[in-house]
């Protein structure tokens, strides 16, 4: 019968220590533990990772705790923050990441994405719509016309409109004429 030698907590593999070193640059111990758990990794003794166990490995390997500084825009933003800034849902941002459309980094699978949002990226994904162009429903409300009437005006060339794509949604933005800009405001102030 063979005698097994029990694994020691100091038997952490070098590749795991290197991964924790990379992750600690951007993530706290609890987040590193979550990433390692999602990857199905275990400690040298076969236990699941916790923030305390990650901290122990970090300390033995002389890895500084992260993140050391307040995240800046240069470090990248999270999926949720990118969705907020681009005016789309998180699923759209995830799709754009899968398709390679957004500049982003991920230290390892299951680690958080760090998305680089520059003005150029913002312009690519959020169309610039002039101030006097509004959604079709808003144009109908401001003018008191039916949506179909406004669409007919666009078809005849009596009213300008632009097609806007945001994520997978597409919509029409209709130009209001200068005399229509304050139509609802005038009615509201006249009724007071």
């Amino acid at each position: 019968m063979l005698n097994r030698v029990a694994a020691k907590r100091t038997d952490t593999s070098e590749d795991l220590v290197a991964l924790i070193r990379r992750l600690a640059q951007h993530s706290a111990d609890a987040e590193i533990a979550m990433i390692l758990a999602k990857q199905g990794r275990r400690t040298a003794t076969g236990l699941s990772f916790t923030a305390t166990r990650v901290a122990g490995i970090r300390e033995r390997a002389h890895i500084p705790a992260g993140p050391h500084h307040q995240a800046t825009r240069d470090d990248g933003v999270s999926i949720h923050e990118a969705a907020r800034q681009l005016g789309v849902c998180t699923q759209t941002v995830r799709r754009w990441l899968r398709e390679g459309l957004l500049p982003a980094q991920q230290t390892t699978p299951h680690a958080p994405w760090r998305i680089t949002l520059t003005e150029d990226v913002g312009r690519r994904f959020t169309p610039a719509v002039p101030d006097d162009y509004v959604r079709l429903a808003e144009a109908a409300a401001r003018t008191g016309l039916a949506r179909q009437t406004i669409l007919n005006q666009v078809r005849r060339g009596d009213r300008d409109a632009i097609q806007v794509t945001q994520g997978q949604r597409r919509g029409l933005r209709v130009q209001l004429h200068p005399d229509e800009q304050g139509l609802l405001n005038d009615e509201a102030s006249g009724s007071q």
Side-chain angles (χ1 to χ4, degrees):
M1 176 176 222
L2 296 174
N3 288 337
R4 283 187 161 185
V5 177
K8 297 181 207 168
R9 63 184 185 154
T10 56
D11 290 343
T12 305
S13 69
E14 286 303 314
D15 68 320
L16 182 57
V17 171
L19 177 58
I20 291 172
R21 186 178 313 279
R22 287 195 332 263
L23 288 170
Q25 293 174 8
H26 302 285
S27 301
D29 293 339
E31 191 171 59
I32 294 171
M34 182 221 32
I35 293 165
L36 297 174
K38 282 184 175 181
Q39 291 182 350
R41 294 180 183 259
R42 298 276 189 183
T43 66
T45 57
L47 300 172
S48 59
F49 277 100
T50 64
T52 305
R53 291 179 181 135
V54 169
I57 293 171
R58 244 189 345 83
E59 289 167 9
R60 285 190 296 281
H62 307 291
I63 300 170
H68 310 298
H69 59 286
Q70 186 68 14
T72 65
R73 190 173 177 93
D74 294 339
D75 293 333
V77 297
S78 68
I79 287 176
H80 292 281
E81 181 60 19
R84 187 190 69 74
Q85 288 185 28
L86 295 173
V88 296
C89 65
T90 56
Q91 290 87 350
T92 299
V93 172
R94 290 179 194 282
R95 180 172 46 81
W96 288 343
L97 287 169
R98 275 193 313 274
E99 294 170 0
L101 298 175
L102 282 175
Q105 292 180 331
Q106 189 180 36
T107 306
T108 185
H110 303 291
W113 284 96
R114 292 186 317 280
I115 302 165
T116 307
L117 288 183
T118 62
E119 288 182 21
D120 289 338
V121 171
R123 278 193 295 272
R124 224 173 58 213
F125 290 99
T126 53
V129 178
D131 291 337
D132 57 342
Y133 282 72
V134 297
R135 294 177 187 265
L136 180 59
E138 185 178 343
R142 284 192 184 189
T143 60
L145 300 172
R147 292 169 53 135
Q148 189 60 49
T149 302
I150 292 174
L151 286 173
N152 289 338
Q153 290 175 343
V154 170
R155 284 188 193 109
R156 287 192 314 259
D158 297 338
R159 188 179 295 276
D160 288 333
I162 55 175
Q163 183 75 32
V164 175
T165 303
Q166 199 166 20
Q168 286 188 328
R169 291 186 295 180
R170 293 186 181 158
L172 201 59
R173 298 296 185 271
V174 180
Q175 185 181 31
L176 292 180
H177 299 299
D179 57 330
E180 298 170 325
Q181 290 293 327
L183 187 62
L184 286 182
N185 294 341
D186 293 343
E187 290 174 3
S189 62
S191 63
Q192 292 179 351

